[in-house]
Amino acid sequence: MLVQTLEIFLIAITAGVFGSILGLGGGIIIVPVLTLLFNVPMQTAVAASTVSIIATSTGAAVAFLQDRLTNTRVAIWLEMGTSTGALSGALIAGYLNQRFLYILFGLLLAYSGYNMFKARKNELPEGVLPDRLSQKLQLQGSYTDRQLGKRIDYQVTGTIPGLIIMYFSGIAAGLLGIGAGIFKVPAMDQIMRIPFKASTATSNFMIGVTAASGAVVYFARGDVKPMITGPVVLGVLLGAILGAKLMVRLKSSTIRKLFIPIIIYTAFEMIYRGLK
Amino acid sequence: MTTHGSEPDIPSPHEPIELTLARLLRIGSFIAAVLIAVGIGTMLLGKEALATRLITAGLLALLATPIMRVITAGLIFVREKDWRFACFCLVVICALAAGIYLGRVHS
């Protein structure tokens, strides 16, 4: 019992570190580890992973907010898409062919992985012209980059396309229970042209909100098992606090390079699930 | 484009929204971490019933934090008379509430 709790705790710290650096929920680590290594039932693992997304988000956001890496205005604008998308996903569940969705979202991820690979050497986006809505909503941001040692001012574009993609990412989350951050980061990076670090920090900020509504439902169903979820969440929380301290000192291009294998892996896994 | 880059364009008598939200999230995660840690300690001592309660309380504190964060952001926008963003927060809160309601009905 003690050894198992300690093992879960240590793996959860790792998940928290990576999740917070990459702006992801960490379900990609937590769910397989719990089900395959610790024989936890799938439902319990997914519930634990959903609660731990909130831990990643909350633990890391403190440091990101203080460094102004999180763009709160962009986050709230896009949360409209993710939250209504998650709601639609829950409503249409059962009416749609899940296989088709897995393949569609998988291909979408493969494509953004390819774009990310092409941009792997770029540190900051250049020559971004804000669209009119972005100017009206004052979505532009600025942060002090500790790695580059200078202040970065940036503009935001693709305001409406970004919102639409977030809506579909919300549907994926509500319907398939996946993709806390894996769709958000590429959308902010490639469509809205936000610097990569600000994209992962803003994604990290947003994922907690969608996860919270899912977690409430898992709680009500009794899927959240305190003895499993407790050590997971505590580990992820500590890992996220550590990871955030590390992340602000990393280069955007380094974080992007860490992101590429994960997005490619997730793309193939989703296509596989759709085909099998 | 003139607003680009300069320090706070519109001077505000209040602290920036980032700092308020950071404080809220820090308090939420601190309470959750302490409750869960004490709960796990209690579990290792063999008092399972108490441990379950403490951990559950910690998890609920964690769960409430992002929801409180959206509500707080909404209130800050109302105070700043930024009605557009206050509305955006309201949309998010309604979608969350509807999602929770539907999820519970179906479960």
Side-chain angles (χ1 to χ4, degrees), chain A residues 17-88:
Chain A
V17 169
F18 279 99
S20 60
I21 292 176
L22 299 173
L24 305 175
I28 193 171
I29 300 178
I30 299 286
V31 175
V33 162
L34 287 180
T35 50
L36 299 177
L37 296 183
F38 295 98
N39 293 317
V40 170
M42 192 65 185
Q43 258 180 325
T44 313
V46 170
S49 155
T50 306
V51 182
S52 75
I53 294 173
I54 309 174
T56 313
S57 173
T58 311
V62 177
F64 294 160
L65 282 165
Q66 282 167 342
D67 272 32
R68 302 294 174 86
L69 267 176
T70 315
N71 189 325
T72 44
R73 295 178 81 84
V74 166
I76 288 159
W77 167 252
L78 295 180
E79 270 166 12
M80 284 200 293
T82 52
S83 58
T84 51
L87 183 63
S88 318

Coordinates of all heavy atoms in Angstrom, one line a residue, chain A residues 17-88:
Chain A
V17 N 5.0 17.8 -14.1 CA 6.1 18.6 -14.7 C 5.9 18.8 -16.2 O 5.9 19.9 -16.7 CB 7.5 18.0 -14.4 CG1 8.6 18.6 -15.2 CG2 7.8 18.1 -12.9
F18 N 5.7 17.7 -16.9 CA 5.5 17.7 -18.3 C 4.2 18.5 -18.7 O 4.2 19.3 -19.6 CB 5.6 16.3 -19.0 CG 7.0 15.9 -19.1 CD1 7.6 15.0 -18.2 CD2 7.8 16.3 -20.2 CE1 8.9 14.6 -18.3 CE2 9.1 15.9 -20.3 CZ 9.6 15.0 -19.4
G19 N 3.2 18.1 -18.0 CA 1.9 18.8 -18.3 C 2.0 20.3 -18.2 O 1.5 21.0 -19.1
S20 N 2.6 20.8 -17.2 CA 2.7 22.2 -17.0 C 3.6 22.9 -18.0 O 3.3 24.0 -18.5 CB 3.1 22.6 -15.6 OG 4.4 22.0 -15.3
I21 N 4.7 22.2 -18.4 CA 5.6 22.8 -19.4 C 4.9 22.9 -20.8 O 5.0 23.9 -21.5 CB 6.9 22.0 -19.5 CG1 7.7 22.2 -18.2 CG2 7.7 22.5 -20.7 CD1 9.0 21.4 -18.1
L22 N 4.1 21.9 -21.1 CA 3.5 21.8 -22.4 C 2.1 22.3 -22.5 O 1.6 22.4 -23.6 CB 3.6 20.3 -22.9 CG 5.0 19.7 -23.0 CD1 4.9 18.2 -23.3 CD2 5.8 20.4 -24.0
G23 N 1.5 22.7 -21.4 CA 0.1 23.2 -21.5 C -0.9 22.1 -21.7 O -2.0 22.3 -22.1
L24 N -0.5 20.8 -21.3 CA -1.4 19.7 -21.5 C -1.9 19.2 -20.1 O -1.4 19.6 -19.1 CB -0.7 18.5 -22.1 CG 0.0 18.9 -23.5 CD1 0.8 17.7 -23.9 CD2 -1.0 19.2 -24.5
G25 N -2.9 18.3 -20.2 CA -3.5 17.9 -18.9 C -2.7 16.8 -18.3 O -2.8 16.6 -17.1
G26 N -2.0 16.0 -19.0 CA -1.2 14.9 -18.4 C -1.9 13.6 -18.4 O -1.4 12.6 -17.9
G27 N -3.2 13.6 -19.0 CA -3.9 12.3 -19.1 C -3.2 11.3 -19.9 O -3.4 10.1 -19.7
I28 N -2.4 11.8 -20.8 CA -1.6 10.9 -21.7 C -0.7 10.0 -20.9 O -0.3 8.9 -21.3 CB -0.9 11.8 -22.8 CG1 -0.3 10.9 -23.9 CG2 0.2 12.6 -22.1 CD1 0.2 11.8 -25.0
I29 N -0.3 10.5 -19.7 CA 0.6 9.7 -18.8 C -0.2 9.0 -17.8 O -0.1 7.8 -17.6 CB 1.7 10.6 -18.1 CG1 2.5 11.3 -19.2 CG2 2.5 9.8 -17.2 CD1 3.6 12.2 -18.6
I30 N -1.1 9.7 -17.1 CA -1.8 9.2 -16.0 C -2.7 8.0 -16.3 O -2.7 7.0 -15.6 CB -2.7 10.3 -15.3 CG1 -1.8 11.5 -14.9 CG2 -3.6 9.8 -14.2 CD1 -1.0 11.3 -13.6
V31 N -3.5 8.1 -17.4 CA -4.5 7.1 -17.6 C -3.8 5.7 -17.9 O -4.1 4.7 -17.3 CB -5.5 7.5 -18.7 CG1 -6.4 6.3 -19.1 CG2 -6.3 8.7 -18.3
P32 N -2.8 5.7 -18.9 CA -2.2 4.4 -19.1 C -1.4 3.8 -17.9 O -1.5 2.6 -17.6 CB -1.2 4.6 -20.3 CG -1.3 6.1 -20.6 CD -2.4 6.7 -19.8
V33 N -0.8 4.7 -17.1 CA 0.0 4.3 -16.0 C -1.0 3.6 -15.0 O -0.7 2.5 -14.5 CB 0.8 5.4 -15.3 CG1 1.2 5.1 -13.9 CG2 2.0 5.8 -16.2
L34 N -2.1 4.3 -14.7 CA -3.0 3.7 -13.7 C -3.6 2.4 -14.1 O -3.7 1.5 -13.4 CB -4.1 4.8 -13.3 CG -3.7 6.0 -12.5 CD1 -4.8 6.9 -12.2 CD2 -3.1 5.5 -11.1
T35 N -4.1 2.4 -15.4 CA -4.8 1.2 -15.9 C -3.8 0.0 -16.1 O -4.1 -1.1 -15.7 CB -5.6 1.5 -17.2 OG1 -4.7 2.1 -18.1 CG2 -6.8 2.4 -16.9
L36 N -2.7 0.3 -16.7 CA -1.8 -0.8 -17.1 C -0.9 -1.2 -16.0 O -0.7 -2.4 -15.8 CB -0.9 -0.4 -18.3 CG -1.7 0.0 -19.6 CD1 -0.8 0.4 -20.7 CD2 -2.6 -1.3 -20.0
L37 N -0.3 -0.3 -15.2 CA 0.7 -0.7 -14.2 C 0.0 -1.0 -12.8 O 0.5 -1.8 -12.1 CB 1.7 0.5 -14.0 CG 2.7 0.8 -15.1 CD1 3.7 1.8 -14.7 CD2 3.4 -0.5 -15.6
F38 N -1.1 -0.3 -12.5 CA -1.7 -0.4 -11.2 C -3.1 -1.1 -11.3 O -3.8 -1.2 -10.2 CB -1.8 0.9 -10.5 CG -0.4 1.5 -10.2 CD1 0.1 2.4 -11.1 CD2 0.3 1.1 -9.1 CE1 1.4 3.0 -10.8 CE2 1.6 1.6 -8.9 CZ 2.1 2.5 -9.7
N39 N -3.5 -1.6 -12.4 CA -4.7 -2.3 -12.6 C -6.0 -1.5 -12.1 O -6.9 -2.1 -11.5 CB -4.7 -3.7 -11.9 CG -3.7 -4.6 -12.6 OD1 -3.7 -4.6 -13.8 ND2 -2.9 -5.3 -11.9
V40 N -5.9 -0.2 -12.2 CA -7.0 0.6 -11.8 C -8.1 0.5 -12.9 O -7.7 0.6 -14.1 CB -6.6 2.1 -11.6 CG1 -7.7 3.0 -11.4 CG2 -5.6 2.1 -10.4
P41 N -9.4 0.4 -12.6 CA -10.4 0.4 -13.6 C -10.4 1.7 -14.5 O -10.1 2.7 -13.9 CB -11.7 0.3 -12.9 CG -11.4 -0.1 -11.5 CD -9.9 0.2 -11.3
M42 N -10.7 1.6 -15.7 CA -10.7 2.7 -16.7 C -11.4 3.9 -16.1 O -10.9 5.0 -16.2 CB -11.2 2.2 -18.0 CG -11.0 3.2 -19.1 SD -9.2 3.3 -19.5 CE -9.2 4.6 -20.7
Q43 N -12.6 3.7 -15.7 CA -13.5 4.8 -15.2 C -12.8 5.6 -14.1 O -12.8 6.8 -14.1 CB -14.8 4.2 -14.6 CG -16.0 4.4 -15.5 CD -17.2 3.8 -14.9 OE1 -17.1 2.8 -14.1 NE2 -18.3 4.4 -15.1
T44 N -12.2 4.8 -13.1 CA -11.5 5.5 -12.0 C -10.3 6.2 -12.5 O -10.0 7.4 -12.0 CB -11.0 4.4 -11.0 OG1 -12.1 3.5 -10.7 CG2 -10.6 5.0 -9.7
A45 N -9.6 5.6 -13.5 CA -8.4 6.3 -14.0 C -8.7 7.6 -14.7 O -8.1 8.6 -14.5 CB -7.6 5.3 -14.9
V46 N -9.8 7.5 -15.5 CA -10.2 8.7 -16.3 C -10.6 9.8 -15.3 O -10.3 11.0 -15.5 CB -11.3 8.4 -17.3 CG1 -11.9 9.7 -17.9 CG2 -10.7 7.5 -18.4
A47 N -11.4 9.4 -14.3 CA -11.8 10.4 -13.3 C -10.6 11.0 -12.5 O -10.6 12.3 -12.4 CB -12.8 9.7 -12.3
A48 N -9.7 10.2 -12.1 CA -8.5 10.7 -11.5 C -7.7 11.7 -12.4 O -7.2 12.7 -12.0 CB -7.6 9.6 -11.0
S49 N -7.6 11.3 -13.7 CA -6.9 12.1 -14.6 C -7.6 13.4 -14.8 O -6.9 14.5 -14.9 CB -6.8 11.3 -15.9 OG -6.6 12.2 -17.0
T50 N -8.9 13.4 -14.9 CA -9.7 14.7 -15.0 C -9.4 15.6 -13.9 O -9.2 16.8 -14.0 CB -11.2 14.4 -15.2 OG1 -11.3 13.5 -16.3 CG2 -11.9 15.7 -15.5
V51 N -9.5 15.1 -12.6 CA -9.2 15.9 -11.5 C -7.8 16.4 -11.5 O -7.5 17.6 -11.1 CB -9.5 15.2 -10.1 CG1 -9.3 16.1 -9.0 CG2 -11.0 14.7 -10.1
S52 N -6.9 15.6 -12.0 CA -5.5 16.0 -12.0 C -5.2 17.1 -13.0 O -4.2 17.8 -12.9 CB -4.5 14.8 -12.1 OG -4.5 14.4 -13.5
I53 N -6.1 17.2 -14.1 CA -5.9 18.3 -15.0 C -6.1 19.6 -14.3 O -5.4 20.6 -14.5 CB -7.0 18.2 -16.2 CG1 -6.7 16.9 -17.0 CG2 -7.0 19.4 -17.0 CD1 -7.8 16.7 -18.1
I54 N -7.0 19.7 -13.3 CA -7.3 20.9 -12.6 C -6.0 21.2 -11.7 O -5.6 22.3 -11.6 CB -8.5 20.7 -11.6 CG1 -9.7 20.3 -12.4 CG2 -8.8 22.1 -10.9 CD1 -10.9 20.0 -11.5
A55 N -5.4 20.1 -11.2 CA -4.1 20.3 -10.4 C -3.0 20.9 -11.3 O -2.3 21.8 -10.9 CB -3.7 19.0 -9.8
T56 N -2.9 20.3 -12.5 CA -1.8 20.9 -13.4 C -2.1 22.3 -13.6 O -1.2 23.2 -13.5 CB -1.8 20.1 -14.8 OG1 -1.9 18.7 -14.6 CG2 -0.6 20.5 -15.6
S57 N -3.3 22.6 -14.0 CA -3.7 24.0 -14.4 C -3.5 25.0 -13.2 O -2.8 26.0 -13.3 CB -5.1 24.0 -14.8 OG -5.6 25.3 -15.0
T58 N -4.0 24.6 -12.0 CA -4.0 25.5 -10.9 C -2.6 25.7 -10.3 O -2.1 26.8 -10.0 CB -4.9 24.9 -9.8 OG1 -6.1 24.6 -10.3 CG2 -5.1 25.9 -8.6
G59 N -1.8 24.5 -10.3 CA -0.5 24.6 -9.7 C 0.5 25.5 -10.6 O 1.3 26.2 -10.0
A60 N 0.4 25.3 -11.9 CA 1.3 26.0 -12.7 C 0.9 27.5 -13.0 O 1.7 28.3 -13.2 CB 1.5 25.3 -14.1
A61 N -0.4 27.7 -13.0 CA -0.9 29.0 -13.4 C -0.4 30.2 -12.5 O -0.2 31.3 -13.0 CB -2.5 29.0 -13.4
V62 N -0.2 29.9 -11.3 CA 0.3 30.9 -10.4 C 1.6 31.6 -10.9 O 1.7 32.8 -11.1 CB 0.6 30.3 -8.9 CG1 1.1 31.4 -8.0 CG2 -0.7 29.8 -8.4
A63 N 2.6 30.7 -11.2 CA 3.8 31.2 -11.8 C 3.7 31.9 -13.1 O 4.2 33.0 -13.4 CB 4.9 30.1 -11.9
F64 N 2.8 31.3 -14.0 CA 2.6 31.9 -15.3 C 1.9 33.2 -15.3 O 2.2 34.1 -16.0 CB 1.8 30.9 -16.2 CG 2.5 29.6 -16.5 CD1 1.8 28.5 -16.9 CD2 3.9 29.5 -16.4 CE1 2.4 27.3 -17.2 CE2 4.5 28.3 -16.7 CZ 3.8 27.2 -17.0
L65 N 0.9 33.3 -14.3 CA 0.2 34.6 -14.2 C 1.2 35.7 -13.7 O 1.2 36.8 -14.2 CB -0.9 34.5 -13.2 CG -2.2 33.8 -13.8 CD1 -3.1 33.4 -12.6 CD2 -2.9 34.7 -14.7
Q66 N 2.0 35.3 -12.8 CA 2.9 36.3 -12.2 C 3.9 36.8 -13.2 O 4.4 38.0 -13.2 CB 3.6 35.8 -11.0 CG 2.7 35.8 -9.8 CD 3.2 35.0 -8.6 OE1 4.1 34.2 -8.7 NE2 2.7 35.3 -7.4
D67 N 4.3 35.9 -14.2 CA 5.3 36.3 -15.2 C 4.5 36.9 -16.4 O 5.2 37.2 -17.4 CB 6.1 35.1 -15.7 CG 7.3 34.9 -14.9 OD1 7.3 35.2 -13.7 OD2 8.3 34.4 -15.4
R68 N 3.2 37.0 -16.3 CA 2.4 37.6 -17.4 C 2.4 36.7 -18.7 O 2.2 37.2 -19.8 CB 2.8 39.0 -17.8 CG 2.7 40.0 -16.7 CD 1.2 40.1 -16.3 NE 1.1 40.9 -15.1 CZ 1.0 42.2 -15.1 NH1 1.1 42.9 -16.2 NH2 0.9 42.9 -14.0
L69 N 2.9 35.4 -18.5 CA 2.9 34.6 -19.7 C 1.5 34.2 -20.1 O 1.2 34.0 -21.3 CB 3.7 33.3 -19.4 CG 5.1 33.2 -19.7 CD1 5.7 32.0 -19.2 CD2 5.4 33.4 -21.2
T70 N 0.6 34.1 -19.1 CA -0.8 33.8 -19.4 C -1.5 35.0 -20.0 O -1.4 36.0 -19.4 CB -1.5 33.4 -18.1 OG1 -0.7 32.5 -17.4 CG2 -2.9 32.7 -18.4
N71 N -2.1 34.8 -21.1 CA -2.9 35.9 -21.7 C -4.4 35.7 -21.2 O -5.1 35.0 -21.8 CB -2.8 36.0 -23.2 CG -3.4 37.2 -23.8 OD1 -4.4 37.7 -23.3 ND2 -2.8 37.7 -24.9
T72 N -4.8 36.4 -20.2 CA -6.1 36.1 -19.6 C -7.2 36.5 -20.5 O -8.2 35.9 -20.5 CB -6.3 36.9 -18.2 OG1 -5.8 38.2 -18.4 CG2 -5.5 36.2 -17.1
R73 N -7.0 37.6 -21.3 CA -8.1 38.0 -22.2 C -8.3 37.0 -23.3 O -9.5 36.6 -23.6 CB -7.8 39.4 -22.8 CG -7.8 40.5 -21.7 CD -7.5 41.8 -22.3 NE -8.6 42.5 -22.9 CZ -9.5 43.2 -22.2 NH1 -9.4 43.4 -20.9 NH2 -10.5 43.8 -22.8
V74 N -7.2 36.5 -23.9 CA -7.3 35.5 -24.9 C -8.0 34.2 -24.2 O -8.9 33.6 -24.8 CB -5.9 35.1 -25.5 CG1 -6.0 33.8 -26.2 CG2 -5.4 36.2 -26.3
A75 N -7.5 33.9 -23.0 CA -8.1 32.7 -22.3 C -9.6 32.8 -22.2 O -10.3 31.8 -22.5 CB -7.4 32.5 -21.0
I76 N -10.1 33.9 -21.7 CA -11.5 34.0 -21.5 C -12.3 34.0 -22.8 O -13.4 33.4 -22.9 CB -11.8 35.3 -20.6 CG1 -11.3 34.9 -19.2 CG2 -13.3 35.6 -20.6 CD1 -11.1 36.1 -18.3
W77 N -11.8 34.7 -23.8 CA -12.4 34.7 -25.1 C -12.5 33.2 -25.6 O -13.6 32.8 -26.0 CB -11.6 35.5 -26.1 CG -11.9 35.4 -27.5 CD1 -11.1 34.8 -28.5 CD2 -13.0 35.9 -28.2 NE1 -11.7 34.8 -29.7 CE2 -12.9 35.5 -29.6 CE3 -14.2 36.6 -27.8 CZ2 -13.9 35.8 -30.5 CZ3 -15.2 36.9 -28.8 CH2 -15.0 36.5 -30.1
L78 N -11.4 32.5 -25.5 CA -11.4 31.1 -26.0 C -12.2 30.1 -25.1 O -12.7 29.1 -25.6 CB -10.0 30.6 -26.2 CG -9.2 31.3 -27.3 CD1 -7.8 30.8 -27.3 CD2 -9.8 31.3 -28.6
E79 N -12.3 30.4 -23.8 CA -13.0 29.5 -22.9 C -14.5 29.5 -23.3 O -15.2 28.5 -23.1 CB -12.9 30.0 -21.5 CG -11.8 29.4 -20.8 CD -11.4 30.1 -19.5 OE1 -12.3 31.0 -19.0 OE2 -10.4 29.9 -18.9
M80 N -15.0 30.6 -24.0 CA -16.4 30.5 -24.5 C -16.5 29.4 -25.5 O -17.5 28.7 -25.5 CB -16.7 31.8 -25.2 CG -17.0 32.9 -24.2 SD -17.9 34.2 -25.0 CE -16.8 34.8 -26.2
G81 N -15.5 29.2 -26.3 CA -15.5 28.1 -27.3 C -15.4 26.7 -26.6 O -16.2 25.8 -26.9
T82 N -14.4 26.6 -25.7 CA -14.2 25.3 -25.1 C -15.4 24.8 -24.2 O -15.8 23.7 -24.3 CB -13.0 25.2 -24.2 OG1 -13.0 26.3 -23.3 CG2 -11.7 25.3 -25.1
S83 N -16.0 25.8 -23.5 CA -17.0 25.4 -22.6 C -18.3 25.1 -23.3 O -19.0 24.1 -23.0 CB -17.3 26.4 -21.5 OG -17.6 27.7 -22.1
T84 N -18.7 25.9 -24.3 CA -19.9 25.6 -25.1 C -19.7 24.3 -25.9 O -20.6 23.5 -26.2 CB -20.3 26.7 -26.0 OG1 -19.2 27.2 -26.8 CG2 -20.8 27.9 -25.2
G85 N -18.4 24.1 -26.4 CA -18.1 22.9 -27.2 C -18.3 21.7 -26.3 O -18.8 20.7 -26.8
A86 N -17.7 21.7 -25.1 CA -17.8 20.6 -24.2 C -19.3 20.2 -24.0 O -19.7 19.1 -23.9 CB -17.1 20.8 -22.9
L87 N -20.1 21.3 -23.8 CA -21.5 21.1 -23.6 C -22.2 20.4 -24.8 O -22.9 19.5 -24.7 CB -22.2 22.5 -23.3 CG -23.7 22.5 -22.9 CD1 -23.9 21.7 -21.7 CD2 -24.1 23.9 -22.8
S88 N -21.9 20.9 -26.0 CA -22.4 20.3 -27.2 C -22.0 18.9 -27.3 O -22.8 18.0 -27.7 CB -22.0 21.1 -28.5 OG -22.0 22.5 -28.3

